[in-house]
């Protein structure tokens, strides 16, 4: 029923169910819904057979274990063409009798992504896209504001309708706002975006899809500044986010994961007196960690994170979720104390994202920690 309804659309994209076992029935059911004959593609069968034989040999198993699945995976609706293989699963494209362009792709994300460009380059999809006018898209990225506050601002800006649709998504402690604008509604789209930016400007950090770590590295490189990290509860996650960006070595020099107090003392020069008087989870120790990283790693700017990620280790004075952050640079410093909700993984991710945004704020010269 669902496939029959989908075939009335201009395009139907299906993923998964292309394997060699009896319960992988996507191709069969789609052919039935479209009223199409199933045929065995001999060229495709030969191609899949070659891969299957190589797999059987590598695994030390007889090819006969794979043979039944080979024919099954090479069976396609008569009008369909193969757009390539991901493993032994073929991607297929066809034009159904209803005129709908159908794209059939494997389910595993890596395999789907591998074949998606081939789908876009197929004749049916190119013909469809050539006569399609895509909607416009505006992007707002916010940090330090709640999802409900953004939703309220959107309602005050006029809400959905008249060719404008907005999605608001909380993601990694940020709020991502996407405005999809239909052709002819550009003026209203601009008005809604402007109204949102005016209401939420304090928390708006980007109008594109760059990740905050990309922005941090770009800002540092533009100013000729070197970055370093000193991490405890995040265990290197801030450094990992930074080094995930290609070319990060132009600005990022390194980091210290100082999980134990002894490492804080020996590698970051955190004084024993500070640890004894204030404890490892404190603003004073976070400051000493940042300054120690700057000094020991030869960096201009350093961020330090220390906290209680849980599930154990909390006290009434320093509960699970308490995190201290300190960013130090030639222009001064920014500090933040957080009491983060959630489980250990959530606390660590939120502390990491906050550390990156503090770096961004310092590098842009903002004294507003949520900017």
């Amino acid at each position: 029923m669902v496939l029959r309804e989908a075939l009335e659309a201009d395009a139907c994209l299906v993923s998964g169910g292309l394997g060699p076992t009896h319960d992988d029935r996507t191709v069969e059911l789609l052919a039935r819904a479209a009223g199409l004959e199933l045929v065995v593609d001999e060229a495709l069968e030969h191609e899949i057979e070659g891969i299957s034989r190589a797999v059987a040999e590598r695994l030390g198993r007889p090819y006969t274990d794979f043979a039944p699945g080979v024919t099954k995976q090479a069976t396609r609706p008569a009008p369909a063409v193969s757009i390539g293989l991901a493993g032994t699963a073929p991607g297929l494209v066809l034009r159904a009798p209803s005129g709908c362009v159908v794209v059939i792709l494997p389910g595993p994300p890596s395999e789907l992504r591998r074949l998606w460009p081939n789908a876009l380059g197929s004749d049916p999809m190119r013909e469809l896209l050539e006569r399609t006018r895509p909607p416009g898209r505006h992007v707002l990225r916010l940090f330090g504001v709640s999802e409900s506050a953004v939703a309220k601002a959107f309602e005050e800006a006029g809400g959905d309708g008249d060719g404008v649709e907005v999605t608001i998504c909380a993601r990694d402690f940020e709020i991502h706002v996407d405005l999809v604008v239909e052709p002819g509604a550009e003026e209203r789209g601009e008005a809604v975006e402007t109204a949102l930016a005016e209401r939420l400007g304090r928390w708006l950090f980007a109008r594109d899809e760059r990740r905050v770590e990309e922005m941090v590295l770009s800002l540092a490189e533009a100013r000729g500044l070197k970055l370093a990290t000193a991490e405890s509860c995040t265990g290197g996650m801030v450094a990992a986010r930074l080094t995930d960006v290609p070319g990060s070595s132009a600005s990022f020099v390194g980091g210290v994961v100082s999980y134990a107090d002894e490492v804080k003392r020996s590698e970051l020069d955190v004084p024993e007196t500070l640890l004894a008087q204030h404890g490892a989870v404190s603003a004073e120790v976070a400051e000493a960690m940042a300054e120690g990283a700057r000094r020991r790693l030869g960096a201009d700017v350093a961020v330090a994170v220390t906290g209680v990620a849980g599930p154990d280790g909390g006290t009434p004075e320093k509960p699970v979720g308490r995190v201290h952050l300190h960013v130090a640079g030639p222009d001064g410093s920014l500090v933040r104390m957080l009491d983060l909700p959630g489980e250990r993984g959530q606390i660590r991710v939120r502390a990491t994202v906050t550390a990156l945004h503090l770096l961004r704020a310092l590098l842009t010269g903002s004294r507003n920690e949520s900017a």
Side-chain angles (χ1 to χ4, degrees):
M1 177 65 74
V2 172
L3 284 174
R4 288 193 183 95
E5 291 179 1
L7 291 172
E8 297 303 315
D10 294 313
C12 172
L13 312 180
V14 183
S15 70
L18 304 184
T21 58
H22 73 284
D23 55 341
D24 290 310
R25 302 182 62 195
T26 296
V27 171
E28 172 194 343
L29 293 176
L30 197 142
R32 185 186 303 174
L36 295 170
E37 178 189 4
L38 284 169
V39 298
V40 177
D41 186 322
E42 292 183 0
L44 184 59
E45 185 178 31
H46 181 71
E47 188 177 2
I48 296 171
E49 179 184 346
I51 294 171
S52 298
R53 287 188 181 278
V55 172
E57 183 177 352
R58 187 170 67 248
L59 297 177
R61 292 168 55 186
Y63 171 69
T64 52
D65 289 354
F66 296 83
V70 170
T71 301
K72 178 183 180 302
Q73 288 186 290
T75 301
R76 57 170 174 78
V81 294
S82 170
I83 55 171
L85 295 174
T88 59
L92 301 171
V93 174
L94 64 108
R95 191 183 300 279
S98 63
C100 176
V101 175
V102 182
V103 178
I104 306 169
L105 294 170
S110 61
E111 297 182 2
L112 185 151
R113 285 193 294 267
R114 191 186 317 163
L115 294 182
W116 177 241
N118 299 0
L120 291 177
S122 67
D123 289 342
M125 279 296 286
R126 282 193 298 103
E127 292 167 6
L128 175 64
L129 293 173
E130 283 171 3
R131 65 174 189 266
T132 301
R133 185 179 172 190
R137 183 163 171 261
H138 303 272
V139 172
L140 301 174
R141 299 294 182 250
L142 306 135
F143 174 76
V145 63
S146 70
E147 196 173 8
S148 58
V150 176
K152 180 181 178 183
F154 173 54
E155 289 303 317
E156 292 172 349
D160 279 323
D162 299 325
V164 177
E165 182 177 343
V166 174
T167 61
I168 302 169
C169 179
R171 185 175 301 157
D172 286 348
F173 220 32
E174 299 171 349
I175 305 296
H176 294 188
V177 180
D178 289 51
L179 292 84
V180 178
V181 182
E182 295 297 330
E186 290 82 4
E187 186 175 342
R188 181 164 191 271
E190 292 286 349
V192 172
E193 181 185 9
T194 299
L196 279 173
E198 288 174 352
R199 288 167 169 80
L200 303 169
R202 176 184 174 188
W203 302 284
L204 178 63
F205 71 88
R207 289 177 120 148
D208 56 39
E209 294 189 280
R210 286 180 302 159
R211 296 173 295 165
V212 62
E213 52 265 37
E214 295 178 69
M215 299 177 69
V216 165
L217 290 163
S218 178
L219 289 164
E221 186 174 6
R223 296 182 57 186
L225 299 175
K226 299 299 183 182
L227 305 176
T229 58
E231 301 180 62
S232 182
C233 64
T234 48
M237 292 171 66
V238 180
R241 287 276 293 259
L242 290 167
T243 55
D244 189 51
V245 180
S248 57
S249 59
S251 300
F252 183 69
V253 296
V256 175
V257 178
S258 54
Y259 216 63
D261 286 358
E262 175 54 38
V263 179
K264 293 180 177 69
R265 287 191 293 265
S266 63
E267 302 302 322
L268 295 173
D269 301 327
V270 177
E272 175 62 42
T273 52
L274 281 185
L275 289 164
Q277 183 177 355
H278 301 286
V281 181
S282 63
E284 292 80 4
V285 167
E287 179 180 6
M289 289 169 62
E291 292 296 350
R294 289 182 68 198
R295 184 169 54 254
R296 294 292 293 269
L297 298 176
D300 303 295
V301 178
V303 59
V305 188
T306 180
V308 186
D312 303 316
T315 67
E317 296 77 22
K318 297 178 182 180
V320 170
R322 173 69 54 86
V323 178
H324 288 275
L325 303 102
H326 191 104
V327 179
D331 301 328
S333 62
L334 286 176
V335 300
R336 189 81 175 268
M337 186 188 82
L338 305 172
D339 282 306
L340 296 169
E343 299 176 351
R344 180 180 177 83
Q346 294 171 309
I347 290 169
R348 282 157 52 91
V349 168
R350 289 168 175 173
T352 296
V353 172
T354 304
L356 291 167
H357 279 283
L358 281 181
L359 276 170
R360 175 187 56 79
L362 187 78
L363 291 168
T364 56
S366 171
R367 311 313 295 172
N368 178 6
E369 298 170 16
S370 63

